[in-house]
């Protein structure tokens, strides 16, 4: 049995999320069916993170154990041929140690959230960014983001359905980057709570619109109460963009 690490890109719009669902298609199901078509094996593809319905990825990391003798390049090519027409692409495959785990070996996860500042509806980016009517005060959003960096109880910013044992998380990065009508919010941490990134982005948008201040962000954080959340941003603009692992 050989363990392979995969780097995967996908458009989350047609899927119910990464994880297999009884009520709709998932990225995991699309990949596992491709693995079966290539190898005849009922393998499980484990990911670094479980994205929600409508969330995208440019570099999701995952792993799969395969008994059939196959090279990483041949596996990549075969999976890409079989996963069509689903909007999923395997960008890279490499053989890794048997104890390497896409989820449990991961030491940092990175997300990007895309906001488009325009009044007109989105056409080409529909479902790929969150449209928020301008203007947004980017400096104010950065000030609000600073209040969330560090180790905190993020109860306010996690879904009521979050299954994590603890609401404590250390947020290493929350940067607000503006370029014309586009705002990208970058978030990095060892791990995130369910809906944490979307909840933080939603509140930062309120700050940008002048409806909240940085002090309101701090108050929401300190409340440790989901009812204190200002807004949960839609999944459209959220992308899993990378995962870090210790050197081999």
């Amino acid at each position: 049995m050989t363990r392979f690490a995969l780097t995967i890109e996908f458009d989350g719009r047609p899927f119910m999320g990464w994880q297999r669902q009884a009520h709709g298609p998932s990225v995991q199901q699309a990949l596992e069916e491709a693995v079966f078509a290539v190898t005849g094996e009922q393998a499980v593809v484990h990911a670094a993170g479980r994205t929600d319905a409508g969330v995208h990825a440019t570099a999701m990391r995952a792993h799969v154990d395969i008994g059939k003798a196959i090279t990483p390049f041949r596996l990549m090519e075969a999976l890409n041929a079989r996963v069509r027409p689903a909007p999923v692409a395997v960008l890279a495959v490499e053989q890794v140690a048997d104890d390497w785990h896409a989820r449990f070996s991961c030491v940092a996860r990175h997300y990007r959230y895309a906001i488009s500042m325009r009044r007109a509806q989105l056409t080409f980016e529909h479902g790929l960014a969150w449209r928020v009517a301008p203007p947004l005060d980017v400096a104010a959003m950065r000030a609000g983001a600073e209040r969330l960096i560090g180790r905190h109880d993020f109860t306010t910013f996690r879904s009521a359905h979050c299954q994590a044992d603890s609401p404590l998380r250390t947020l290493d990065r929350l940067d607000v980057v503006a370029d014309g009508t586009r705002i990208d919010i970058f978030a990095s941490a060892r791990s995130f709570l369910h809906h944490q990134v979307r909840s933080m982005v939603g509140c930062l948008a309120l700050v940008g619109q002048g409806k909240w201040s940085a002090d309101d962000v701090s108050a929401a954080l300190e409340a440790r109460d989901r009812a204190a959340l200002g807004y949960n941003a839609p999944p459209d603009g959220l992308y899993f963009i990378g995962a870090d692992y210790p050197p081999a």
Side-chain angles (χ1 to χ4, degrees):
M1 191 72 69
T2 302
R3 179 159 294 184
F4 293 97
L6 316 177
T7 302
I8 304 158
E9 175 185 271
F10 59 83
D11 177 347
R13 286 177 291 184
F15 300 110
M16 301 302 296
W18 167 270
Q19 194 170 10
R20 273 187 177 266
Q21 306 284 335
H23 57 284
S26 69
V27 181
Q28 184 182 36
Q29 178 184 352
L31 285 165
E32 288 175 354
E33 289 178 352
V35 170
F36 180 77
V38 172
T39 67
E41 301 172 24
Q42 296 281 2
V44 177
V45 181
H46 301 269
R50 298 175 180 176
T51 55
D52 289 332
V55 175
H56 321 289
T58 58
M60 174 63 76
R61 298 302 303 278
H63 80 263
V64 62
D65 294 331
I66 293 177
K68 179 180 180 178
I70 189 170
T71 66
F73 178 77
R74 292 292 296 172
L75 179 60
M76 180 182 70
E77 292 287 280
L79 291 179
N80 281 327
R82 294 292 188 172
V83 78
R84 297 171 186 161
V88 178
V90 179
L91 305 180
V93 176
E94 59 183 313
Q95 185 174 336
V96 291
D98 292 344
D99 61 351
W100 188 92
H101 197 286
R103 179 183 175 191
F104 298 120
S105 300
C106 186
V107 296
R109 293 165 173 84
H110 309 285
Y111 286 88
R112 174 175 66 89
Y113 195 99
I115 296 175
S116 180
M117 286 190 294
R118 56 186 272 177
R119 295 193 179 279
Q121 66 180 352
L122 298 180
T123 53
F124 297 112
E125 287 193 307
H126 179 69
L128 299 174
W130 179 26
R131 181 182 66 85
V132 180
L136 292 177
D137 186 333
V138 175
M141 293 174 70
R142 288 173 179 151
E146 289 177 1
R147 304 295 182 92
L148 298 172
I149 295 173
R151 186 164 181 80
H152 305 288
D153 181 329
F154 282 98
T155 295
T156 300
F157 297 88
R158 74 165 175 172
S159 165
H161 303 292
C162 181
Q163 298 179 353
D165 293 334
S166 170
L168 293 174
R169 289 294 185 273
T170 300
L171 183 64
D172 298 312
R173 180 191 186 195
L174 191 62
D175 290 341
V176 182
V177 179
D179 183 9
T181 60
R182 167 57 63 84
I183 293 177
D184 287 308
I185 299 176
F186 295 91
S188 297
R190 185 182 186 96
S191 63
F192 289 91
L193 300 166
H194 189 204
H195 283 181
Q196 182 181 344
V197 176
R198 290 169 54 191
S199 296
M200 294 189 301
V201 169
C203 291
L204 293 183
L206 291 177
V207 174
Q209 292 168 328
K211 298 176 181 178
W212 271 29
S213 67
D215 287 341
D216 290 320
V217 175
S218 293
L221 179 66
E222 293 165 6
R224 301 181 181 88
D225 183 354
R226 183 69 176 175
L229 181 71
Y231 190 75
N232 196 41
D236 306 40
L238 187 57
Y239 295 76
F240 187 104
I241 62 172
D244 296 342
Y245 297 87

